Amino acid sequence: MKRFGDFTAVGGIDVEVQRGEAFGFLGPNGAGKSSTMRMIACVSPRTGGELRVLGMDPDLHGPQIRARIGVVPQGDILDTELTVRQNLQVYGRYFGFSRSYVQAKATELLEFAQLTEKADVNVESLSGGMKRRLTIARSLVNDPELLLLDEPTTGLDPQARHLLWERLFRLKQRGATQIITTHYMDEAQQLCDRLVVMDNGTIVAGGTPTELISRYATREVLELRFPQAQPGEPALVHAGSSAGPSAVAGPQTSDNPPLERLTDLADRIEVLPDRLLLYTADGEAALTAAHNRGVRPMTSLVRRSTLEDVFLRLTGRSLVD
Ligand SMILES: Nc1ncnc2c1ncn2[C@@H]1O[C@H](COP(=O)(O)OP(=O)(O)OP(=O)(O)O)[C@@H](O)[C@H]1O
Ligand SMILES: [Mg+2]
């Protein structure tokens, strides 16, 4: 539990992370992910409830816990006066490691983060993605048993993200427990053995990515995109009208909106401003059926369901606004 005055940022959270597991908190902005991470990292005391990290109470054993965990906060807090290598070494010295140990460790971590060529430049001149990689490298200085990663890949380009995912997987194989927050469903799906979906400071669902998808979504989704509605006009009525540049010859008329002709083609239909999402085991079959009924979307796409669909189902909102 974390309260700020009258406001409860983190409420009914009840989770247990097993040793060696990668556990995720997936949720939109303001869900309470960072507040939760800061309590686990022993930098923000909880205002209620119970918390044990590595079997210890952060209120009583903060320093002992901090010595054994690695923390990647959401924002990079690096020493911009120092070089890349110095950042790693100085941080290592905080843990009481010898000079020679941190030198060797820094070399290894620079390699890990692909920053060897930048070792001697000032942190200030690094790109955002490089700073992120350095923050992550720094969190590994003490070979943590538990790694806390708050939005680890925000700001990274796709290549750097994939590299990091691969490195995190390797760390997990070596036995490091990981707690990860993210609002990227692909990241959660890639990295997490188990995860909870958070919204407004509480957990709305939990399980493995596969369990969550099979519980809250169908195997496939058919996405149908229709022309944007004019202001004041209901989107899907317009989508069925024969007006507009993308309208095709066909039986669609404005008094025959596509939604009505599609309801029985899917287990569930999600209506978004510009799209219909049809949840069904067989997207191609639903698309063919829709075509046969004269529905002519601007574009159509069949894809596998993801955690984004789970989130939409659970909250009625999408993860990334
Ligand atoms: N120091 C603080 N004082 C007051 N309110 C706070 C404080 N820190 C966080 N909050 C509030 O607590 C709620 C949860 O914030 P938190 O940073 O934990 O969310 P988050 O899930 O990490 O979001 P994001 O994805 O944007 O990082 C928000 O409504 C936020 O405004
Ligand atoms: Mg956050």
Side-chain angles (χ1 to χ4, degrees):
M1 159 93 78
K2 184 72 192 184
R3 287 173 149 277
F4 298 105
D6 287 342
F7 177 73
T8 303
V10 180
I13 282 205
D14 189 2
V15 296
E16 209 170 305
V17 180
Q18 307 298 323
R19 201 169 275 276
E21 159 174 75
F23 188 91
F25 288 95
L26 179 69
N29 291 143
K33 304 182 297 296
S34 295
S35 303
T36 303
M37 290 296 250
R38 290 166 53 77
M39 289 187 280
I40 302 171
C42 315
V43 291
S44 160
R46 65 192 185 278
T47 51
E50 275 217 39
L51 177 63
R52 290 287 177 279
V53 183
L54 301 171
M56 292 177 279
D57 182 342
D59 286 347
L60 306 174
H61 303 286
Q64 291 93 321
I65 296 171
R66 278 194 292 267
R68 291 165 56 189
I69 65 177
V71 180
V72 177
Q74 186 166 359
D76 298 313
I77 25 172
L78 295 162
D79 198 327
T80 49
E81 319 261 277
L82 301 179
T83 68
V84 170
R85 175 184 280 280
Q86 284 166 345
N87 261 274
L88 294 172
Q89 293 181 348
V90 167
Y91 198 72
R93 296 287 278 163
Y94 287 144
F95 287 98
F97 296 123
S98 72
R99 198 170 295 275
S100 61
Y101 180 83
V102 296
Q103 265 172 11
K105 196 73 194 169
T107 303
E108 174 196 325
L109 290 172
L110 287 168
E111 196 63 40
F112 176 88
Q114 296 204 316
L115 288 170
T116 304
E117 281 168 27
K118 297 282 178 185
D120 300 316
V121 310
N122 237 293
V123 160
E124 220 160 356
S125 66
L126 293 183
S127 75
M130 290 171 185
K131 284 187 185 141
R132 198 71 191 135
R133 273 143 55 193
L134 178 57
T135 302
I136 292 163
R138 203 184 60 168
S139 75
L140 300 172
V141 141
N142 56 332
D143 288 314
E145 290 163 57
L146 169 65
L147 194 54
L148 303 176
L149 301 141
D150 196 355
E151 314 253 351
T153 64
T154 300
L156 297 188
D157 66 28
Q159 197 193 344
R161 281 182 95 199
H162 283 274
L163 178 81
L164 183 71
W165 288 348
E166 184 265 318
R167 294 295 151 97
L168 290 177
F169 185 70
R170 238 200 272 174
L171 287 171
K172 191 167 90 87
Q173 283 183 315
R174 280 196 243 151
T177 309
Q178 299 175 3
I179 303 181
I180 301 154
T181 78
T182 184
H183 54 253
Y184 296 122
M185 53 83 195
D186 55 342
E187 180 156 282
Q189 224 152 338
Q190 278 276 337
L191 294 181
C192 301
D193 300 317
R194 261 181 341 124
L195 60 101
V196 290
V197 179
M198 255 186 112
D199 193 28
N200 292 322
T202 59
I203 290 172
V204 290
T208 68
T210 317
E211 277 167 8
L212 286 168
I213 290 167
S214 65
R215 202 177 315 150
Y216 297 102
T218 50
R219 194 184 128 87
E220 293 187 341
V221 191
L222 168 61
E223 289 201 14
L224 300 176
R225 195 177 287 273
F226 293 95
Q228 285 283 1
Q230 301 304 311
E233 207 177 349
L236 292 164
V237 173
H238 177 74
S241 90
S242 56
S246 58
V248 220
Q252 296 185 63
T253 59
S254 57
D255 54 356
N256 191 13
L259 186 54
E260 278 175 18
R261 280 176 281 158
L262 295 172
T263 38
D264 61 319
L265 294 184
D267 296 5
R268 190 169 61 87
I269 298 185
E270 201 65 64
V271 181
L272 302 183
D274 62 333
R275 272 172 304 157
L276 287 181
L277 305 183
L278 279 73
Y279 289 92
T280 167
D282 187 343
E284 286 297 340
L287 180 59
T288 306
H291 264 281
N292 291 342
R293 295 181 187 186
V295 175
R296 299 283 180 269
M298 238 162 56
T299 59
S300 60
L301 167 77
V302 174
R303 59 171 176 80
R304 292 290 287 264
S305 287
T306 67
L307 290 170
E308 181 83 38
D309 299 297
V310 172
F311 189 79
L312 185 64
R313 169 73 185 276
L314 289 167
T315 67
R317 287 174 289 113
S318 81
L319 271 166
V320 187
D321 304 306

